[in-house]
Amino acid sequence: MNWINSLVRPKIRDLLKKREVPENLWIKCPETGEMVFHRDLEANHWVVPNSGHHMRMPARKRLDTFFDGGVYENIKTPEVVADPLKFRDSKRYVDRIKEYRSKTGEEDAVHVAKGKVNGAHFTAAVQDFAFMGGSLGMAAGEAILKGMETAVANRTPFVMFTASGGARMQEGILSLMQMPRTTVGVQMLREEGLPYIVVLTNPTTGGVSASYAMLGDIHIAEPGAQIGFAGRRVVEQTIREKLPDDFQSAEYLLEHGMVDMVVNRLEMKETISRICGILMKQERASAAEAATAVEVAVEPDAGDKATA
């Protein structure tokens, strides 16, 4: 009987076990229905090869593809009170935060890093839609401000990749206060003459689009991204009119002058690098001209030299 217990029964159990198959090996394109192998999609920066549809890209992967060789330094952001209002809906807010931290392995919805892009120093922040819809709360606001302060300290351009449903309702007025606070950070970059580039990804809505997402020096949108403040249904009910099919799309906003350009994700790094290279060279040229002007102003003229 030992051979039955030790050999036959384990083999039968193995046959009856449900085979563990990784999820999402194949991903369906929402536009064409094409099935794409997940590794091929990842290698193409989550852009479906044939249709060009831009799938949602993980925040950390975006940083990997943006910085040279995927090498960058994470910037530690200030800690905040986890549940300042002791909020509870279907579950406690503090429990909801713990759930998303466990799912994503991240502390909150915004990641900030610095590194090199085509050899030039950059500071960048990315909103993670997987963490509570990329909602803007106190932790996210502190992270964005920290990124802007780091850009000022290191005199680098600041690039903001937005993806959010808006302000985080569980933090009430404290989340809404992040809108003016981040606006102050944008003004700080402008006073220092540093480029602030906003990349609008799908979706960028609510309080985020009403604040720092629309205050950039250059606004770049990814193809097909939904960008707006209120939702389509709310707008239609308010104005009592049927909206165009492409309303609030990146292409619609480009046509109506709300964004500067729509850029394919595969070309995003080169585009941002080129824009910031031009802007930073202009800044350096202006600084050099100002220094020359000061030297000319303080230099004594020929007559003074002769007298001396």
Side-chain angles (χ1 to χ4, degrees):
M1 293 295 291
N2 287 338
W3 67 274
I4 294 178
N5 291 330
S6 61
L7 184 63
V8 177
R9 285 184 177 176
K11 286 189 175 182
I12 294 174
R13 280 197 297 267
D14 289 340
L15 289 173
L16 295 176
K17 277 184 182 178
K18 183 179 180 182
R19 181 172 293 180
E20 296 291 334
V21 179
E23 295 182 1
N24 299 327
L25 281 176
W26 294 86
I27 298 173
K28 186 177 181 180
C29 173
E31 287 187 359
T32 63
E34 174 190 3
M35 300 300 291
V36 185
F37 189 51
H38 73 106
R39 288 183 181 173
D40 294 337
L41 189 65
E42 183 175 351
N44 205 42
H45 295 189
W46 279 264
V47 178
V48 179
N50 291 333
S51 69
H53 179 80
H54 284 51
M55 306 289 287
R56 191 167 291 142
M57 188 177 190
R60 291 291 180 186
K61 293 295 183 181
R62 192 179 288 276
L63 290 174
D64 290 343
T65 58
F66 182 64
F67 289 107
D68 292 346
V71 178
Y72 56 88
E73 179 185 343
N74 289 308
I75 297 172
K76 183 173 176 57
T77 57
E79 294 183 2
V80 299
V81 179
D83 186 9
L85 303 180
K86 308 300 179 190
F87 189 91
R88 183 182 185 121
D89 44 26
S90 58
K91 64 170 64 174
R92 293 192 308 162
Y93 176 45
V94 67
D95 293 336
R96 199 178 292 277
I97 287 286
K98 288 178 181 177
E99 176 187 344
Y100 278 97
R101 285 177 177 172
S102 176
K103 282 181 180 178
T104 63
E106 305 292 350
E107 288 298 307
D108 211 89
V110 174
H111 315 305
V112 187
K114 62 180 180 179
K116 289 186 176 183
V117 178
N118 290 340
H121 292 279
F122 273 75
T123 306
V126 180
Q127 282 186 280
D128 189 352
F129 195 80
F131 195 104
M132 296 190 72
S135 51
L136 176 63
M138 291 195 300
E142 289 288 354
I144 293 168
L145 276 172
K146 182 64 176 179
M148 292 174 174
E149 290 171 355
T150 302
V152 169
N154 296 322
R155 298 211 56 79
T156 69
F158 183 71
V159 182
M160 182 76 224
F161 295 89
T162 63
S164 177
R168 189 172 296 175
M169 69 172 190
Q170 290 89 347
E171 295 183 15
I173 189 64
L174 298 175
S175 67
L176 295 178
M177 286 304 297
Q178 306 313 308
M179 295 168 63
R181 292 184 75 239
T182 51
T183 302
V184 171
V186 173
Q187 185 61 32
M188 181 171 58
L189 289 169
R190 286 184 178 163
E191 289 175 357
E192 295 296 323
L194 298 171
Y196 173 44
I197 311 299
V198 180
V199 180
L200 303 156
T201 73
N202 184 49
T204 299
T205 59
V208 169
S209 66
S211 54
Y212 57 88
M214 285 297 179
L215 294 176
D217 298 314
I218 301 291
H219 294 98
I220 305 173
E222 289 189 337
Q226 179 188 356
I227 304 163
F229 179 65
R232 180 190 184 93
R233 183 179 59 186
V234 173
V235 177
E236 285 185 334
Q237 290 176 348
T238 302
I239 66 174
R240 308 294 182 185
E241 291 182 14
K242 181 69 175 174
L243 295 170
D245 292 337
D246 62 347
F247 179 70
Q248 291 185 333
S249 69
E251 293 75 12
Y252 182 90
L253 266 65
L254 177 64
E255 183 181 346
H256 289 79
M258 293 295 291
V259 299
D260 296 298
M261 59 186 77
V262 176
V263 177
N264 189 295
R265 189 178 293 159
L266 300 175
E267 302 170 0
M268 189 68 70
K269 176 178 176 178
E270 294 301 324
T271 302
I272 294 173
S273 174
R274 184 170 62 253
I275 291 171
C276 289
I278 294 170
L279 294 176
M280 291 299 284
K281 283 178 183 177
Q282 288 177 346
E283 183 212 6
R284 293 190 191 102
S286 298
E289 289 171 2
T292 303
V294 170
E295 289 175 2
V296 170
V298 299
E299 183 180 353
D301 58 27
D304 292 337
K305 289 181 180 177
T307 303

